Amino acid sequence: MVGSPHEALHRIFQKDPALLTRALQRVLHVPFPEPREIAALNVDLTEIEPVERRVDTLLRAETDEGTYLLVVESQGKVDERKRGSWPYYLSYLYEKYRCEPVLIVITQNNATARWAARPIRLGFRDWHSLTVRPLVLGPENVPLITDERQAEQDVTLAVLSAMTHGRGPQATAILKPLASALRTIDPDSAAVLVQFVDSCLTDPQAQQQWRELMTAIQYFWRHPLAEQVREEGREQGREQGRVENQRQMILRVLEWRNIPVPDDVRERVNASGDPDELDTWARRAVNATDAAELFTEER
């Protein structure tokens, strides 16, 4: 289970390893060769000595130009200790695997992105024995994908967009297009990606909007993360709290889709205390073109 932005930001590349090379090519415009094969490796860099060193995600990319190790580091804030650990990671991996390591840093913070992009130079002023130049993915260069068709063309890249922008005011702009795009892929993969996005949304309103959208299309509540949210619901009044959340979710989905909600529809939704009935109306709210369509089958 993913419970933090740190985990989600690098584990998405374990879910879709090829996303990393697409991000390098399309976002950073780095001419990285197209992999014939790409696979996740063991992230444990611990030596025999009692010093544990572990990268976040490690991938091996086989290309026509050679084999590369893609080292992904999720970075939440500036940490000057990385001046020592990042060069160590790359040197150790080259010694162990005898192929070229490439360091990619991903962050949700612009200041951290600018810090991470600075070359690490070891040596003296006119002669650097070692230079490390990380490639950085962050809010300033990962595009904000707000077009539904564009999101459908590359769903995991759209998820990465929502994740990297998850701490900013623009995070909500991609949620509805992304929710629609997730319906075009298999439900098991979608459920995992839903959790990645949820872990990276720091604004309570954005996170609530996302959870309600996912509830409506039955992805969020099938995931293990749902147990955490259900527990929160029980603390707010168990069944009564859940019913009230369902009512509000139905009305918000209609409002987010710019569908007018007449008083009689609002009153009927607020009067219902049947969770199954409310679930049915929530599913209809996602595709309805008129608020009255919530009750169409009953007519």
Side-chain angles (χ1 to χ4, degrees), residues 208-265:
Q208 182 65 19
Q209 177 184 351
W210 180 244
R211 292 181 176 183
E212 290 172 353
L213 285 169
M214 294 302 97
T215 300
I217 57 177
Q218 296 184 310
Y219 283 150
F220 185 75
W221 294 101
R222 61 179 294 177
H223 201 275
L225 184 60
E227 181 56 35
Q228 173 187 336
V229 181
R230 283 194 287 266
E231 183 60 33
E232 293 173 359
R234 285 192 287 269
E235 293 175 359
Q236 295 172 0
R238 294 186 180 276
E239 192 65 19
Q240 181 179 356
R242 177 173 178 246
V243 166
E244 180 58 26
N245 287 338
Q246 287 177 297
R247 295 171 185 150
Q248 293 301 315
M249 182 266 293
I250 293 167
L251 298 175
R252 286 176 182 170
V253 168
L254 293 173
E255 291 170 358
W256 288 330
R257 299 185 62 229
N258 297 318
I259 295 176
V261 182
D263 290 342
D264 61 331
V265 172

Side-chain angles (χ1 to χ4, degrees), residues 30-289:
V30 173
F32 190 84
E34 193 67 32
R36 295 192 307 273
E37 179 184 351
I38 189 165
L41 302 179
N42 191 331
V43 300
D44 193 348
L45 307 185
T46 306
E47 298 187 54
I48 297 177
E49 293 81 2
V51 177
E52 182 176 342
R53 297 184 185 272
R54 188 179 298 269
V55 298
D56 288 333
T57 285
L58 180 62
L59 305 171
R60 181 176 58 209
E62 303 283 353
T63 78
D64 291 336
E65 298 179 15
T67 301
Y68 296 91
L69 297 176
L70 304 180
V71 184
V72 184
E73 285 284 284
S74 175
Q75 194 67 27
K77 61 182 180 180
V78 173
D79 184 355
E80 292 298 334
R81 293 175 299 176
K82 297 297 183 180
R83 286 180 51 82
S85 58
W86 284 344
Y88 173 87
Y89 294 164
L90 301 181
S91 298
Y92 176 88
L93 289 168
Y94 180 79
E95 178 65 21
K96 181 176 181 178
Y97 293 100
R98 288 296 170 177
C99 51
E100 302 292 341
V102 179
L103 175 62
I104 300 100
V105 179
I106 182 165
T107 182
Q108 295 178 294
N109 183 276
N110 286 329
T112 302
R114 289 189 288 269
W115 163 81
R118 288 160 41 196
I120 300 172
R121 297 186 174 95
L122 304 181
F124 55 92
R125 186 179 61 183
D126 296 323
W127 189 272
H128 300 122
S129 300
L130 176 65
T131 300
V132 175
R133 297 178 60 196
L135 294 165
V136 181
L137 293 166
E140 289 185 335
N141 56 16
V142 174
L144 190 70
I145 300 177
T146 58
D147 179 75
E148 183 177 324
R149 182 173 298 179
Q150 187 180 0
E152 291 177 356
Q153 290 174 350
D154 194 333
V155 178
T156 48
L157 182 61
V159 169
L160 180 66
S161 174
M163 291 162 56
T164 51
H165 292 277
R167 292 183 179 273
Q170 295 179 302
T172 57
I174 192 180
L175 298 186
K176 285 194 288 183
L178 180 55
S180 297
L182 284 168
R183 302 180 70 179
T184 66
I185 64 176
D186 70 276
D188 289 336
S189 295
V192 176
L193 296 174
V194 164
Q195 186 189 5
F196 287 157
V197 175
D198 188 85
S199 298
C200 292
L201 295 174
T202 59
D203 178 66
Q205 184 176 358
Q207 190 174 71
Q208 182 65 19
Q209 177 184 351
W210 180 244
R211 292 181 176 183
E212 290 172 353
L213 285 169
M214 294 302 97
T215 300
I217 57 177
Q218 296 184 310
Y219 283 150
F220 185 75
W221 294 101
R222 61 179 294 177
H223 201 275
L225 184 60
E227 181 56 35
Q228 173 187 336
V229 181
R230 283 194 287 266
E231 183 60 33
E232 293 173 359
R234 285 192 287 269
E235 293 175 359
Q236 295 172 0
R238 294 186 180 276
E239 192 65 19
Q240 181 179 356
R242 177 173 178 246
V243 166
E244 180 58 26
N245 287 338
Q246 287 177 297
R247 295 171 185 150
Q248 293 301 315
M249 182 266 293
I250 293 167
L251 298 175
R252 286 176 182 170
V253 168
L254 293 173
E255 291 170 358
W256 288 330
R257 299 185 62 229
N258 297 318
I259 295 176
V261 182
D263 290 342
D264 61 331
V265 172
R266 188 181 302 274
E267 289 171 4
R268 183 168 177 181
V269 170
N270 287 328
S272 176
D274 184 348
D276 292 336
E277 182 179 63
L278 291 169
D279 278 341
T280 298
W281 294 349
R283 289 193 296 271
R284 293 177 187 165
V286 177
N287 298 310
T289 57

